[in-house]
Coordinates of all heavy atoms in Angstrom, one line a residue:
M210 N -136.3 17.1 96.2 CA -135.6 17.7 95.2 C -136.4 18.9 94.6 O -137.6 18.8 94.4 CB -135.3 16.7 94.0 CG -134.7 17.3 92.8 SD -134.3 16.2 91.5 CE -135.8 15.5 91.1
K211 N -135.7 20.0 94.4 CA -136.3 21.2 93.8 C -135.6 21.4 92.4 O -134.4 21.6 92.4 CB -136.1 22.4 94.7 CG -136.7 23.6 94.2 CD -136.5 24.8 95.2 CE -137.0 26.1 94.6 NZ -136.6 27.2 95.5
K212 N -136.3 21.5 91.4 CA -135.7 21.8 90.1 C -135.6 23.3 90.0 O -136.5 24.1 90.3 CB -136.6 21.3 88.9 CG -136.5 19.8 88.9 CD -137.1 19.2 87.6 CE -136.9 17.7 87.6 NZ -137.2 17.2 86.3
V213 N -134.4 23.7 89.5 CA -134.1 25.2 89.3 C -133.4 25.4 87.9 O -133.1 24.4 87.3 CB -133.2 25.7 90.4 CG1 -134.0 25.7 91.8 CG2 -131.9 25.0 90.5
N214 N -133.2 26.6 87.6 CA -132.4 26.9 86.4 C -131.6 28.2 86.7 O -132.0 29.3 86.4 CB -133.4 27.1 85.2 CG -132.6 27.3 83.9 OD1 -131.4 27.1 83.8 ND2 -133.3 27.8 82.9
V215 N -130.5 27.9 87.4 CA -129.7 29.0 87.9 C -128.2 28.9 87.4 O -127.7 27.8 87.3 CB -129.7 29.0 89.5 CG1 -128.8 30.1 90.1 CG2 -131.1 29.0 90.0
S216 N -127.6 30.0 87.1 CA -126.2 30.0 86.7 C -125.3 29.4 87.8 O -125.6 29.7 89.0 CB -125.8 31.4 86.3 OG -124.4 31.4 86.1
V217 N -124.2 28.8 87.5 CA -123.3 28.3 88.5 C -122.6 29.4 89.2 O -122.0 29.2 90.3 CB -122.2 27.3 87.9 CG1 -122.9 26.0 87.4 CG2 -121.4 28.0 86.8
K218 N -122.7 30.6 88.8 CA -122.1 31.8 89.5 C -122.8 32.0 90.8 O -122.2 32.6 91.7 CB -122.4 33.1 88.7 CG -121.6 33.2 87.4 CD -121.9 34.5 86.7 CE -122.0 34.4 85.3 NZ -122.4 35.7 84.6
Y219 N -124.0 31.5 91.0 CA -124.8 31.7 92.2 C -124.8 30.4 93.0 O -125.7 30.2 93.8 CB -126.2 32.2 91.9 CG -126.2 33.4 91.0 CD1 -126.6 33.4 89.7 CD2 -125.8 34.6 91.5 CE1 -126.6 34.5 88.9 CE2 -125.8 35.8 90.8 CZ -126.2 35.7 89.4 OH -126.1 36.8 88.7
M220 N -123.8 29.6 92.9 CA -123.7 28.3 93.6 C -123.7 28.5 95.1 O -124.3 27.7 95.9 CB -122.5 27.6 93.2 CG -122.4 26.2 93.7 SD -120.9 25.3 93.1 CE -120.9 25.5 91.4
A221 N -123.2 29.6 95.6 CA -123.1 29.9 97.1 C -124.5 29.9 97.8 O -124.6 29.6 99.0 CB -122.4 31.2 97.3
R222 N -125.5 30.2 97.0 CA -126.9 30.2 97.6 C -127.3 28.8 98.1 O -128.1 28.7 99.0 CB -127.9 30.5 96.5 CG -127.9 31.9 96.0 CD -129.0 32.0 95.0 NE -128.9 33.2 94.2 CZ -129.7 33.6 93.2 NH1 -130.6 32.7 92.8 NH2 -129.5 34.7 92.6
F223 N -126.6 27.8 97.6 CA -127.0 26.4 98.0 C -126.0 25.8 98.9 O -125.9 24.5 98.9 CB -127.2 25.6 96.7 CG -128.2 26.3 95.7 CD1 -127.7 26.8 94.5 CD2 -129.5 26.3 96.0 CE1 -128.6 27.4 93.6 CE2 -130.4 26.9 95.1 CZ -129.9 27.5 93.9
A224 N -125.4 26.5 99.7 CA -124.3 26.0 100.7 C -125.0 24.9 101.5 O -126.0 25.0 102.1 CB -123.8 27.1 101.5
G225 N -124.2 23.8 101.6 CA -124.7 22.6 102.4 C -125.7 21.7 101.7 O -126.1 20.7 102.2
K226 N -126.0 22.0 100.4 CA -127.0 21.2 99.7 C -126.2 20.5 98.5 O -125.2 20.9 98.1 CB -128.0 22.1 99.0 CG -128.8 23.0 100.0 CD -130.0 22.3 100.5 CE -130.7 23.3 101.4 NZ -131.8 22.8 102.0
W227 N -126.9 19.4 98.0 CA -126.4 18.7 96.8 C -127.0 19.4 95.6 O -128.2 19.7 95.6 CB -126.8 17.3 96.9 CG -125.9 16.5 97.8 CD1 -126.1 16.2 99.1 CD2 -124.7 15.9 97.4 NE1 -125.1 15.5 99.6 CE2 -124.2 15.2 98.6 CE3 -123.9 15.8 96.3 CZ2 -123.0 14.5 98.6 CZ3 -122.8 15.0 96.3 CH2 -122.3 14.4 97.4
I228 N -126.3 19.6 94.6 CA -126.8 20.2 93.4 C -126.4 19.3 92.2 O -125.4 18.6 92.2 CB -126.2 21.6 93.1 CG1 -124.7 21.7 93.0 CG2 -126.7 22.6 94.2 CD1 -124.1 23.0 92.6
A229 N -127.3 19.4 91.1 CA -127.0 18.7 89.9 C -126.7 19.9 88.9 O -127.5 20.8 88.8 CB -128.3 17.9 89.4
I230 N -125.6 19.7 88.2 CA -125.1 20.8 87.3 C -125.1 20.2 85.8 O -124.6 19.2 85.6 CB -123.7 21.2 87.6 CG1 -123.6 21.7 89.0 CG2 -123.2 22.2 86.6 CD1 -122.3 22.1 89.5
D231 N -125.8 21.0 84.9 CA -125.7 20.7 83.5 C -124.3 21.2 83.1 O -124.1 22.4 83.0 CB -126.8 21.4 82.8 CG -126.8 21.2 81.3 OD1 -125.7 20.9 80.7 OD2 -127.9 21.2 80.7
T232 N -123.4 20.3 82.7 CA -122.0 20.7 82.4 C -121.9 21.3 81.1 O -120.9 22.0 80.8 CB -121.1 19.5 82.5 OG1 -121.6 18.5 81.7 CG2 -121.0 19.0 84.0
I233 N -122.8 21.2 80.2 CA -122.8 21.8 78.9 C -123.2 23.3 79.0 O -122.6 24.2 78.4 CB -123.6 21.0 77.9 CG1 -123.0 19.6 77.7 CG2 -123.7 21.8 76.5 CD1 -123.8 18.7 76.8
K234 N -124.3 23.5 79.7 CA -124.9 24.9 79.7 C -124.4 25.7 81.0 O -124.7 26.8 81.1 CB -126.4 24.8 79.8 CG -127.0 24.2 78.6 CD -128.5 24.2 78.7 CE -129.2 23.5 77.5 NZ -130.6 23.4 77.6
H235 N -123.7 25.0 81.9 CA -123.2 25.6 83.1 C -124.3 26.2 83.9 O -124.3 27.4 84.3 CB -122.1 26.7 82.8 CG -120.9 26.1 82.0 ND1 -120.0 25.3 82.6 CD2 -120.6 26.2 80.7 CE1 -119.1 25.0 81.7 NE2 -119.5 25.5 80.5
R236 N -125.3 25.4 84.2 CA -126.5 25.8 84.9 C -126.7 24.8 86.0 O -126.5 23.6 85.8 CB -127.7 25.9 84.1 CG -127.6 26.7 82.8 CD -127.6 28.1 83.0 NE -128.9 28.7 83.5 CZ -129.0 29.9 83.9 NH1 -128.1 30.8 83.7 NH2 -130.2 30.3 84.3
I237 N -127.2 25.2 87.2 CA -127.7 24.3 88.2 C -129.1 24.0 87.9 O -129.9 24.9 87.7 CB -127.6 25.0 89.6 CG1 -126.1 25.4 89.9 CG2 -128.2 24.1 90.7 CD1 -126.0 26.3 91.1
I238 N -129.4 22.7 87.8 CA -130.7 22.2 87.3 C -131.6 21.6 88.5 O -132.8 21.5 88.3 CB -130.6 21.3 86.2 CG1 -129.8 20.0 86.5 CG2 -130.0 21.9 84.9 CD1 -129.8 18.9 85.5
A239 N -130.9 21.3 89.6 CA -131.7 20.7 90.7 C -130.9 20.9 92.0 O -129.7 20.9 92.0 CB -132.0 19.2 90.4
V240 N -131.7 20.9 93.1 CA -131.1 21.1 94.4 C -131.8 20.1 95.4 O -133.0 19.9 95.3 CB -131.3 22.5 95.0 CG1 -130.7 22.6 96.3 CG2 -130.7 23.5 94.0
G241 N -131.0 19.4 96.2 CA -131.6 18.5 97.2 C -130.8 18.5 98.5 O -129.6 18.9 98.5
N242 N -131.3 18.0 99.5 CA -130.6 17.9 100.8 C -129.7 16.7 100.8 O -128.7 16.7 101.6 CB -131.6 17.8 102.0 CG -132.3 19.1 102.2 OD1 -131.8 20.1 102.1 ND2 -133.6 19.0 102.5
T243 N -130.0 15.7 100.0 CA -129.1 14.5 99.9 C -128.8 14.1 98.5 O -129.5 14.5 97.6 CB -129.9 13.2 100.6 OG1 -131.0 12.9 99.8 CG2 -130.2 13.5 102.0
L244 N -127.8 13.4 98.3 CA -127.4 12.9 97.0 C -128.5 12.0 96.4 O -128.8 12.0 95.2 CB -126.1 12.2 97.0 CG -125.6 11.6 95.7 CD1 -125.4 12.7 94.6 CD2 -124.2 10.9 95.9
K245 N -129.2 11.3 97.3 CA -130.2 10.3 96.8 C -131.4 11.1 96.2 O -132.0 10.6 95.2 CB -130.7 9.5 98.0 CG -131.6 8.4 97.7 CD -131.9 7.6 98.9 CE -132.7 6.3 98.5 NZ -132.9 5.4 99.6
E246 N -131.6 12.3 96.7 CA -132.7 13.1 96.1 C -132.5 13.5 94.6 O -133.4 13.5 93.8 CB -132.9 14.4 96.9 CG -133.6 14.2 98.2 CD -133.8 15.5 98.9 OE1 -134.2 16.5 98.3 OE2 -133.6 15.6 100.1
I247 N -131.2 13.9 94.3 CA -130.9 14.3 92.9 C -130.4 13.1 92.1 O -130.1 13.3 90.9 CB -129.9 15.5 92.9 CG1 -128.6 15.1 93.5 CG2 -130.5 16.7 93.5 CD1 -127.5 16.1 93.2
G248 N -130.3 11.9 92.7 CA -129.7 10.8 92.1 C -130.4 10.4 90.7 O -129.6 10.1 89.8
P249 N -131.7 10.5 90.6 CA -132.3 10.1 89.2 C -131.8 11.0 88.1 O -131.7 10.6 86.9 CB -133.8 10.3 89.5 CG -133.9 10.1 90.9 CD -132.7 10.7 91.6
L250 N -131.3 12.2 88.4 CA -130.8 13.1 87.4 C -129.4 12.9 87.0 O -128.9 13.2 85.9 CB -131.0 14.6 87.8 CG -132.4 15.1 88.0 CD1 -132.3 16.5 88.6 CD2 -133.1 15.1 86.7
V251 N -128.6 12.3 87.9 CA -127.2 12.2 87.7 C -126.7 10.8 87.6 O -125.5 10.6 87.5 CB -126.4 12.9 88.9 CG1 -126.7 14.4 88.9 CG2 -126.7 12.3 90.2
T252 N -127.6 9.8 87.5 CA -127.2 8.4 87.3 C -127.9 7.9 86.0 O -128.8 8.5 85.5 CB -127.6 7.6 88.5 OG1 -129.0 7.7 88.7 CG2 -126.9 8.0 89.8
R253 N -127.4 6.7 85.6 CA -127.9 6.1 84.4 C -127.6 4.6 84.6 O -126.8 4.2 85.3 CB -127.4 6.6 83.2 CG -125.9 6.5 83.1 CD -125.3 7.1 81.8 NE -123.9 7.1 81.9 CZ -123.1 7.4 80.9 NH1 -123.6 7.7 79.8 NH2 -121.8 7.4 81.1
T254 N -128.3 3.8 83.8 CA -128.1 2.4 83.8 C -126.9 2.0 82.9 O -126.4 2.9 82.1 CB -129.3 1.6 83.2 OG1 -129.5 2.0 81.9 CG2 -130.5 1.9 84.0
M255 N -126.3 0.9 83.0 CA -125.2 0.4 82.2 C -125.5 0.4 80.7 O -124.7 0.5 79.9 CB -124.6 -0.9 82.7 CG -124.0 -0.9 84.1 SD -122.6 0.2 84.2 CE -121.4 -0.8 83.3
K256 N -126.8 0.1 80.5 CA -127.2 0.0 79.1 C -127.4 1.3 78.4 O -127.5 1.4 77.2 CB -128.5 -0.8 79.0 CG -128.4 -2.3 79.4 CD -129.7 -3.0 79.4 CE -129.5 -4.4 79.9 NZ -130.7 -5.2 79.9
D257 N -127.6 2.4 79.2 CA -127.7 3.7 78.6 C -126.4 4.2 78.0 O -125.4 4.3 78.7 CB -128.2 4.7 79.7 CG -128.5 6.1 79.2 OD1 -128.3 6.4 78.0 OD2 -129.1 6.8 80.0
K258 N -126.4 4.5 76.7 CA -125.2 4.9 76.0 C -125.1 6.4 75.8 O -124.4 6.9 75.0 CB -125.2 4.2 74.6 CG -125.1 2.7 74.7 CD -123.9 2.2 75.5 CE -124.0 0.7 75.6 NZ -123.0 0.1 76.5
T259 N -125.8 7.2 76.6 CA -125.7 8.6 76.6 C -124.3 9.1 76.9 O -123.7 8.6 77.9 CB -126.7 9.3 77.6 OG1 -128.0 8.8 77.4 CG2 -126.7 10.8 77.5
P260 N -123.7 9.9 76.1 CA -122.3 10.4 76.3 C -122.2 11.0 77.7 O -123.1 11.7 78.2 CB -122.1 11.4 75.3 CG -123.1 11.2 74.2 CD -124.3 10.6 74.9
D261 N -121.1 10.8 78.4 CA -120.9 11.3 79.8 C -121.1 12.8 79.9 O -121.6 13.2 80.9 CB -119.5 10.9 80.2 CG -119.3 9.4 80.5 OD1 -120.3 8.8 80.6 OD2 -118.1 9.0 80.5
E262 N -120.7 13.5 78.9 CA -120.8 15.0 79.0 C -122.3 15.5 79.0 O -122.5 16.6 79.4 CB -120.0 15.7 78.0 CG -120.4 15.4 76.6 CD -119.6 14.2 76.0 OE1 -118.7 13.6 76.7 OE2 -119.9 13.8 74.8
K263 N -123.2 14.6 78.6 CA -124.6 15.0 78.7 C -125.3 14.6 79.9 O -126.4 15.0 80.2 CB -125.3 14.4 77.5 CG -124.9 15.0 76.1 CD -125.7 14.6 75.0 CE -125.3 15.3 73.8 NZ -126.2 15.1 72.7
I264 N -124.6 13.9 80.8 CA -125.2 13.5 82.1 C -124.8 14.6 83.1 O -123.7 14.9 83.3 CB -124.7 12.1 82.6 CG1 -124.9 11.0 81.5 CG2 -125.2 11.8 83.9 CD1 -126.4 10.8 81.3
P265 N -125.8 15.2 83.8 CA -125.5 16.2 84.8 C -124.5 15.7 85.9 O -124.5 14.5 86.2 CB -126.8 16.5 85.4 CG -127.8 16.1 84.4 CD -127.2 14.9 83.7
A266 N -123.7 16.6 86.5 CA -122.8 16.2 87.5 C -123.4 16.5 88.9 O -124.2 17.5 89.0 CB -121.5 17.0 87.3
A267 N -123.1 15.8 89.9 CA -123.5 16.0 91.3 C -122.4 16.7 92.0 O -121.2 16.3 91.9 CB -123.9 14.7 91.9
F268 N -122.8 17.6 92.9 CA -121.8 18.3 93.7 C -122.4 18.8 95.0 O -123.5 19.3 95.0 CB -121.3 19.5 92.9 CG -120.2 20.3 93.6 CD1 -118.9 19.9 93.7 CD2 -120.5 21.6 94.1 CE1 -117.9 20.7 94.3 CE2 -119.6 22.4 94.7 CZ -118.3 21.9 94.8
K269 N -121.7 18.6 96.1 CA -122.2 19.2 97.4 C -121.5 20.5 97.6 O -120.3 20.6 97.7 CB -122.0 18.3 98.6 CG -122.6 18.8 99.8 CD -122.7 17.8 100.9 CE -123.4 18.4 102.1 NZ -123.5 17.5 103.2
V270 N -122.3 21.6 97.7 CA -121.7 22.9 97.9 C -121.3 23.1 99.3 O -122.1 22.9 100.3 CB -122.7 24.0 97.5 CG1 -122.2 25.4 97.6 CG2 -123.3 23.7 96.1
P271 N -120.0 23.3 99.6 CA -119.5 23.5 101.0 C -120.0 24.8 101.6 O -120.2 25.8 100.9 CB -118.0 23.5 100.8 CG -117.7 23.8 99.4 CD -118.9 23.4 98.6
R272 N -120.2 24.8 102.9 CA -120.5 26.0 103.6 C -119.3 26.8 103.7 O -118.2 26.4 103.5 CB -121.1 25.6 105.0 CG -122.4 24.9 104.9 CD -122.9 24.6 106.3 NE -124.2 23.9 106.3 CZ -124.3 22.6 106.2 NH1 -123.3 21.8 106.3 NH2 -125.5 22.0 106.2
K273 N -119.4 28.1 104.2 CA -118.3 29.0 104.3 C -117.2 28.5 105.2 O -116.0 28.7 105.0 CB -118.7 30.4 104.7 CG -119.4 31.1 103.7 CD -119.8 32.5 104.1 CE -120.5 33.3 103.0 NZ -120.7 34.7 103.4
D274 N -117.6 27.8 106.3 CA -116.6 27.3 107.2 C -116.1 25.9 106.9 O -115.4 25.3 107.7 CB -117.2 27.3 108.6 CG -118.5 26.4 108.8 OD1 -119.1 26.1 107.7 OD2 -118.8 26.0 109.9
E275 N -116.4 25.3 105.8 CA -116.0 24.0 105.4 C -115.1 24.1 104.2 O -115.1 25.0 103.4 CB -117.2 23.1 105.0 CG -118.1 22.9 106.2 CD -119.4 22.2 105.8 OE1 -119.8 22.4 104.6 OE2 -119.8 21.4 106.6
G276 N -114.2 23.1 104.0 CA -113.4 22.9 102.8 C -114.2 22.2 101.8 O -115.3 21.9 101.9
P277 N -113.5 21.9 100.6 CA -114.2 21.2 99.6 C -114.5 19.7 100.0 O -113.8 19.2 100.8 CB -113.2 21.3 98.4 CG -111.9 21.5 99.0 CD -112.2 22.2 100.3
Y278 N -115.6 19.2 99.4 CA -115.9 17.8 99.7 C -115.3 16.9 98.6 O -115.1 17.3 97.5 CB -117.4 17.6 99.6 CG -118.2 18.3 100.6 CD1 -118.9 19.5 100.4 CD2 -118.3 17.8 101.9 CE1 -119.6 20.1 101.3 CE2 -119.0 18.4 102.9 CZ -119.7 19.6 102.6 OH -120.4 20.2 103.6
V279 N -114.9 15.7 99.0 CA -114.4 14.7 98.0 C -115.3 13.5 98.1 O -115.4 12.9 99.2 CB -112.9 14.4 98.4 CG1 -112.4 13.3 97.4 CG2 -112.0 15.6 98.3
L280 N -115.9 13.2 97.0 CA -116.8 12.0 97.0 C -116.0 10.8 96.4 O -115.6 10.9 95.2 CB -118.0 12.3 96.1 CG -119.0 11.2 96.0 CD1 -119.6 10.8 97.3 CD2 -120.1 11.6 95.0
I281 N -115.9 9.8 97.1 CA -115.2 8.6 96.7 C -116.2 7.5 96.5 O -116.9 7.2 97.4 CB -114.1 8.2 97.7 CG1 -113.1 9.3 97.8 CG2 -113.4 6.9 97.2 CD1 -112.1 9.1 98.9
L282 N -116.2 6.9 95.3 CA -117.2 5.9 95.0 C -116.5 4.5 95.0 O -115.4 4.3 94.7 CB -117.8 6.1 93.6 CG -118.6 7.4 93.5 CD1 -119.1 7.5 92.1 CD2 -119.8 7.4 94.5

């Protein structure tokens, strides 16, 4: 995992990678090759009462030749 502080406008730089997005500030805060790498930033325990909007979101950036990804849990 690599921590970064990049605007979501530049998301295309990370094609094929998993990113963690701060949904309040609209910034990419981390980049990894797998969801497991950025997992500690985008998950929490059931006892953690942090509001959902404060937890970063995970997203895999599609390459130019791919459509959007759909993650089903």
Side-chain angles (χ1 to χ4, degrees):
M210 174 178 60
K211 178 181 176 186
K212 291 194 175 188
V213 295
N214 185 13
V215 178
S216 173
V217 293
K218 292 183 217 175
Y219 305 109
M220 191 180 301
R222 292 183 190 173
F223 306 109
K226 306 269 185 183
W227 282 91
I228 59 173
I230 301 173
D231 181 331
T232 57
I233 295 173
K234 296 179 183 177
H235 303 287
R236 308 288 292 176
I237 298 169
I238 58 172
V240 179
N242 290 321
T243 64
L244 179 57
K245 192 172 187 176
E246 285 183 42
I247 63 168
L250 295 175
V251 297
T252 58
R253 61 183 170 169
T254 63
M255 293 296 289
K256 294 178 182 178
D257 186 351
K258 300 299 180 192
T259 304
D261 290 340
E262 58 272 358
K263 292 191 177 187
I264 302 296
F268 181 74
K269 185 168 184 183
V270 182
R272 293 181 180 92
K273 287 185 179 183
D274 60 340
E275 298 174 324
Y278 294 104
V279 178
L280 179 62
I281 299 173
L282 301 176

